Amino acid sequence: MIVLDALVRLCPPPVEPPPSVDWAQTERALGTALPADYKQLVETFGDGIFDDTIWLLVPDSAYSDCDLHAQTTERDEILADLWEMGEDKPAGLLEAEARVLPWAFEEGTGAFLYWLARPGQQPDEWTVLYNEGRGPLWEHHAMGCLAFLLAVLTGTAETEYFGYLHEVLKPTEHRFATAAQTLGTSRR
C-alpha cells in the first residue's frame, strides 16, 4: 500500500471512482489470478493514461485499446506469430509454461508492458517485461507493475525507455487522465 500511496500523492487519481471490477470473473477468463498491486491500481485509477505516456489496461474497459481481455488475446496472437516466424523470445520465456500478460502500453509506440508469469510463482511475485513493440528488444524489471510505474513517473526506473518523458515532456506535475477524458464517449 505504501507504493500506491506514493503514486496517489504524485499523480492524483480521478475524483469519481472507476467502475468496480469482478475480479473472480476476470481471473477465470484469463485462467490466472492477478497481482494485488495491479488490482489496487485499477481500483484507484481505472482505465486511462499517466503523463500522456502509459495507458493502464483494465478488465472490461469500454475502450478495446484499454481492455485487459482484448489486449491479452491480441498480444498472445501477435507474439505467437512473431515467435513462430523466428523472432527470439526473451530469456524469461524460454522456461516451459512461462508466459507474458499485458498490463499497460506506451502511447504511440507499439510498446507494451507485461508481467512475466513463471511456473511456480504467485502473481504477486511476477515481474515486469517491457517490449519495444516495433522491434525485438525486451527489458526485464525485477519489480511489480505498481513499483515500476512509480519508478517511471519519478524518473528512477533503470530503463532505456521512457527517457523522453523527463527529457522532452518534463512534467512539473504528474497527471492521470481517464480513458473517457482522453478518448471521449465510448461507442462500444
Side-chain angles (χ1 to χ4, degrees), residues 126-145:
W126 293 352
T127 55
V128 172
L129 280 175
Y130 174 94
N131 175 245
E132 67 180 337
R134 294 189 177 118
L137 298 179
W138 291 78
E139 190 177 76
H140 182 254
H141 299 275
M143 62 185 74
C145 65

Side-chain angles (χ1 to χ4, degrees), residues 1-186:
M1 201 64 161
I2 293 169
V3 178
L4 180 63
D5 291 341
L7 180 63
V8 165
R9 281 191 304 277
L10 180 73
C11 186
V15 175
E16 291 292 319
S20 62
V21 173
D22 183 338
W23 291 111
Q25 179 182 336
T26 294
E27 292 173 336
R28 274 193 306 277
L30 293 171
T32 184
L34 292 170
D37 66 338
Y38 169 73
K39 292 176 183 179
Q40 293 170 341
L41 190 56
V42 167
E43 290 169 353
T44 303
F45 289 92
D47 55 1
I49 187 169
F50 291 88
D51 284 354
D52 297 321
T53 303
I54 299 175
W55 284 93
L56 180 62
L57 302 177
V58 302
D60 303 317
S61 172
Y63 305 86
S64 61
D65 284 352
C66 297
D67 183 65
L68 179 67
H69 300 290
Q71 289 302 319
T72 298
T73 300
E74 183 177 303
R75 301 313 306 164
D76 283 349
E77 292 170 3
I78 289 169
L79 292 173
D81 289 347
L82 287 173
W83 293 330
E84 193 173 291
M85 294 184 330
E87 187 170 302
D88 291 336
K89 286 184 177 182
L93 286 179
L94 298 177
E95 186 176 358
E97 297 183 39
R99 68 186 275 208
V100 291
L101 291 154
W103 61 271
F105 66 93
E106 186 180 3
E107 171 68 22
T109 66
F112 271 79
L113 290 162
Y114 296 91
W115 289 292
L116 173 58
R118 299 174 65 203
Q121 281 188 325
Q122 295 301 310
D124 291 339
E125 300 171 306
W126 293 352
T127 55
V128 172
L129 280 175
Y130 174 94
N131 175 245
E132 67 180 337
R134 294 189 177 118
L137 298 179
W138 291 78
E139 190 177 76
H140 182 254
H141 299 275
M143 62 185 74
C145 65
L146 186 53
F148 181 76
L149 178 60
L150 181 62
V152 167
L153 295 179
T154 58
T156 60
E158 293 183 21
T159 177
E160 296 295 318
Y161 305 95
F162 302 110
Y164 69 89
L165 178 62
H166 300 282
E167 296 161 11
V168 177
L169 297 178
K170 298 178 185 175
T172 55
E173 290 182 5
H174 295 277
R175 179 176 176 264
F176 177 82
T178 66
Q181 291 169 323
T182 305
L183 303 173
T185 304
S186 170

